[in-house]
Amino acid sequence: MKPKDIPWQERPENSSDVLWRYSENPIIQRDLIPSSNSIFNSAVVPFGDGFAGVFRCDNKAVQMNIFAGFSNDGINWSINHDPIAFESGNIEEVHVDYKYDPRVTFIEDRYWIIWCEGHNGPTIGIGYTFDFKEFFQNENAFLPFNRNGVLFPEKINGKYAMMSRPSDNGHTPFGDIYLSYSPDMKYWGEHRHIMSPTSFKDSAWQCTKIGAGSVPFLTDEGWLMFYHGVITTCNGFRYALGSAILDKNNPNIVKYRTQSYLLTPSVLYEQVGDVPNVIFPCATLQDIEKDRVVVYYGAADTVVAIAFGNISEVIQYTKENSL
Ligand code: BMA
């Protein structure tokens, strides 16, 4: 696909941060559609002459669901007022209690949507669309409990590859990132461990649990992805963002992984909201030729924000500050 003009703003002169926030954040406010209590943890992709996305909008009864949206510039979004209605894909009957935290990955001819799906507890739901008008749902990938399903944008060694984070039925106080393969987006296996939380001593911001975040993209060093790491504080969890580079052919091999976070909740819209102190990356847009990446993240479980970086600097930082 031809790269679009992705959103961009130069790094502020007084900043030496590897990722820097957009000055007009948040780009999506909690009440962008009439029904919404909050809009956060959402995914975007290039689509047509602009961009499309799948957005987590919790309604005013605080029911979690996913909605399609569109944008010409990646910053100003219009989100459908009704949630995505899925037809049957490779499953007879679609039964879902709730849907949240979508990611979107384009492979071959279609956009795959992966989300956290309520099915006697959270697990990984799978759907696809060709046009963001009609949507089809497939069999769930895994048994409950699981979260943070992120599909790679290319088949690896001939198979679809997806990261996930086995969990519990509550606010999971543990969690490693795993990799699973599928020949057909229906049957998943060949499960491999990718990475664990760190020790408190080594890197405390990611010592409780970690989860895959944005869809990885290929660089000269391997797959670059942004993930979330969680610390348990005396006031609960705090979610920050780090980066990792995974081996191109065997992405269960972690080549580099940041000891320091790249972003931690430190501005008001990340620190204050329905759940304070959360940065939760779910997508990037990248322009490889211009060496630019934009990270889309949910802030404080309430709004959507973006941050910018130069891909080469993120790679260099990840290599030089790796655990
Ligand atoms: C996780 C998920 C995310 C949420 C985060 C912080 O368990 O539910 O959707 O952003 O907690 O509340």
Side-chain angles (χ1 to χ4, degrees), residues 40-41 56 100-101 147 171 209 239 275 278 280 301:
F40 57 109
N41 300 2
R56 171 178 176 177
Y100 67 94
D101 294 357
R147 291 180 169 96
H171 300 296
K209 56 178 170 175
Y239 284 68
V275 181
V278 180
F280 199 92
D301 283 12

Side-chain angles (χ1 to χ4, degrees), residues 164-315:
S164 71
R165 211 275 307 286
S167 301
D168 69 9
N169 199 15
H171 300 296
T172 317
F174 61 86
D176 295 30
I177 302 175
Y178 285 83
L179 181 67
S180 305
Y181 289 99
S182 172
D184 55 5
M185 291 298 285
K186 182 171 186 182
Y187 297 102
W188 293 86
E190 298 172 45
H191 310 293
R192 301 282 181 273
H193 177 260
I194 300 182
M195 60 189 197
S196 299
T198 49
S199 71
F200 183 83
K201 178 170 156 283
D202 285 339
S203 177
W205 67 271
Q206 50 182 330
C207 74
T208 295
K209 56 178 170 175
I210 54 173
S214 57
V215 173
F217 61 94
L218 209 46
T219 70
D220 290 343
E221 294 288 346
W223 295 103
L224 176 61
M225 72 147 172
F226 299 99
Y227 66 98
H228 67 258
V230 180
I231 181 175
T232 308
T233 72
C234 58
N235 281 326
F237 291 154
R238 186 169 75 226
Y239 284 68
L241 176 155
S243 57
I245 298 176
L246 311 177
D247 183 79
K248 182 180 173 195
N249 299 316
N250 293 301
N252 53 304
I253 299 171
V254 181
K255 291 177 71 181
Y256 310 100
R257 167 189 181 181
T258 49
Q259 181 176 28
S260 303
Y261 58 71
L262 297 182
L263 285 179
T264 195
S266 43
V267 292
L268 213 55
Y269 55 85
E270 297 163 352
Q271 294 172 315
V272 177
D274 283 4
V275 181
N277 296 314
V278 180
I279 288 181
F280 199 92
C282 289
T284 62
L285 294 172
Q286 57 278 346
D287 186 327
I288 302 285
E289 269 175 34
K290 291 189 179 152
D291 192 30
R292 293 174 176 177
V293 63
V294 190
V295 186
Y296 286 73
Y297 63 96
D301 283 12
T302 305
V303 293
V304 176
I306 55 175
F308 305 104
N310 289 118
I311 297 168
S312 57
E313 288 183 17
V314 175
I315 291 171

Side-chain angles (χ1 to χ4, degrees), residues 120-178:
N120 290 312
T123 186
I124 304 301
I126 298 181
Y128 62 88
T129 183
F130 298 98
D131 55 10
F132 284 89
K133 286 188 193 133
E134 284 185 310
F135 296 85
F136 302 89
Q137 182 162 352
N138 276 7
E139 293 279 354
N140 291 339
F142 307 118
L143 293 168
F145 308 108
N146 205 317
R147 291 180 169 96
N148 299 308
V150 179
L151 184 67
F152 279 78
E154 285 176 19
K155 287 183 178 172
I156 294 174
N157 304 320
K159 296 190 180 119
Y160 297 97
M162 179 154 68
M163 290 181 278
S164 71
R165 211 275 307 286
S167 301
D168 69 9
N169 199 15
H171 300 296
T172 317
F174 61 86
D176 295 30
I177 302 175
Y178 285 83

Side-chain angles (χ1 to χ4, degrees), residues 9-17 19-21 23 308:
Q9 191 174 56
E10 292 300 328
R11 180 176 9 227
E13 273 178 19
N14 56 359
S15 164
S16 58
D17 291 340
L19 295 182
W20 58 95
R21 294 170 177 82
S23 60
F308 305 104

